[in-house]
Amino acid sequence: MDFYDFKNAFLVGVFMAFMIGPVFFMLIKTSILKGARAAIAFDLGVILGDISFMLIAYYGSRSLLEEIKDDPRLFLIGGLVLIIYGLLTYLDKNNKKETEASDVIIPESNNYLKLLLKGFFLNFINIGVLAFWLGLIVVIGPTYDMNPTYLFWYFATVIAGYGITDLGKILLAKQLKSKLTPLVIYRIKRGMGVLLIVFGAVLMLKGFIPKGKIDNLIEKVESID
């Protein structure tokens, strides 16, 4: 992996950290009511949930991806997953429910283990997170020929970008809470939905372009640099 790959992986993590949902609101609320340490414990649980989904998606799809990694239809599948996820994000109007979900009562004392487990299960019950990781692995896996080392560092960088961004959210929780009006949340979610749809459409287009042409185009761009 080169700097370009690490940069892209980090940006994917940042993008994930701003996916508006119950986890987002609970992280902000925990930071405000219980402090940064409690929020970090909660966030570690969320990250463990993401890692669990990542492993499920990876090992559940590895054998299939090994067989069809050079098949252009793989781009169509990955693109379709992202487009569907983007449409669901764009059309989701449950902002009120998500705000209510963030109003879960937090115990007076800081039980960091309970907060960690709460973060894990709140993230783990969201099947959309699994769909996102599955789509990402379908897209990224064949790019690195399913090389375990490359994939490890790619997804480790994604998690790092996610964690660092969440740390920023924890430190800026009070400012974020005051600015996240229902209208702002609605616009953010629709914007992210549009981005996912665009990424999925671009990916699907790759399925119709011969791999040789893509490689030649990349070589031309690199020669210009």
Side-chain angles (χ1 to χ4, degrees):
M1 289 179 62
D2 55 22
F3 175 77
Y4 178 79
D5 294 323
F6 280 114
K7 182 192 72 173
N8 285 347
F10 188 85
L11 290 176
V12 169
V14 173
F15 176 81
M16 287 181 60
F18 281 100
M19 294 295 288
I20 302 294
V23 168
F24 184 100
F25 291 111
M26 271 299 296
L27 181 66
I28 300 298
K29 185 167 185 178
T30 303
S31 180
I32 293 173
L33 297 182
K34 307 301 294 180
R37 290 183 181 179
I40 289 172
F42 175 83
D43 196 42
L44 286 175
V46 173
I47 291 173
L48 287 175
D50 278 313
I51 292 173
S52 299
F53 270 143
M54 187 194 313
L55 292 174
I56 291 171
Y58 174 73
Y59 286 107
S61 61
R62 181 177 174 81
S63 58
L64 176 62
L65 293 179
E66 286 282 6
E67 294 178 9
I68 63 174
K69 63 183 180 182
D70 295 322
D71 191 331
R73 286 176 295 182
L74 192 61
F75 289 110
L76 300 179
I77 297 172
L80 184 60
V81 170
L82 290 181
I83 287 175
I84 292 173
Y85 192 80
L87 283 171
L88 292 175
T89 302
Y90 183 83
L91 298 174
D92 187 9
K93 298 181 180 179
N94 292 326
N95 296 328
K96 184 177 179 181
K97 291 183 180 179
E98 288 177 350
T99 304
E100 290 172 353
S102 70
D103 292 333
V104 177
I105 297 174
I106 301 173
E108 290 297 324
S109 60
N110 283 344
N111 187 320
Y112 296 119
L113 179 59
K114 284 186 178 180
L115 285 166
L116 186 146
L117 291 175
K118 182 179 289 185
F120 176 85
F121 286 112
L122 187 59
N123 195 30
F124 197 76
I125 61 175
N126 186 353
I127 195 65
V129 178
L130 176 59
F132 181 87
W133 281 114
L134 181 59
L136 193 60
I137 287 174
V138 168
V139 173
I140 298 300
T143 302
Y144 296 110
D145 294 322
M146 298 304 294
N147 185 302
T149 302
Y150 285 170
L151 291 178
F152 170 82
W153 284 112
Y154 183 91
F155 287 106
T157 306
V158 172
I159 293 297
Y162 183 91
I164 291 172
T165 306
D166 270 359
L167 184 60
K169 284 156 53 179
I170 291 169
L171 297 176
L172 299 173
K174 291 183 179 179
Q175 292 89 327
L176 286 173
K177 183 72 174 178
S178 63
K179 294 182 183 299
L180 287 174
T181 64
L183 180 60
V184 170
I185 293 169
Y186 179 72
R187 288 175 176 174
I188 290 174
K189 291 189 71 171
R190 287 174 72 91
M192 289 184 169
V194 170
L195 284 175
L196 286 170
I197 293 170
V198 171
F199 292 154
V202 171
L203 193 63
M204 291 186 75
L205 286 176
K206 287 186 178 181
F208 296 100
I209 302 174
K211 189 175 184 298
K213 289 187 177 180
I214 295 176
D215 293 338
N216 291 336
L217 180 60
I218 292 174
E219 289 177 1
K220 288 180 180 179
V221 172
E222 289 178 347
S223 64
I224 293 174
D225 295 337

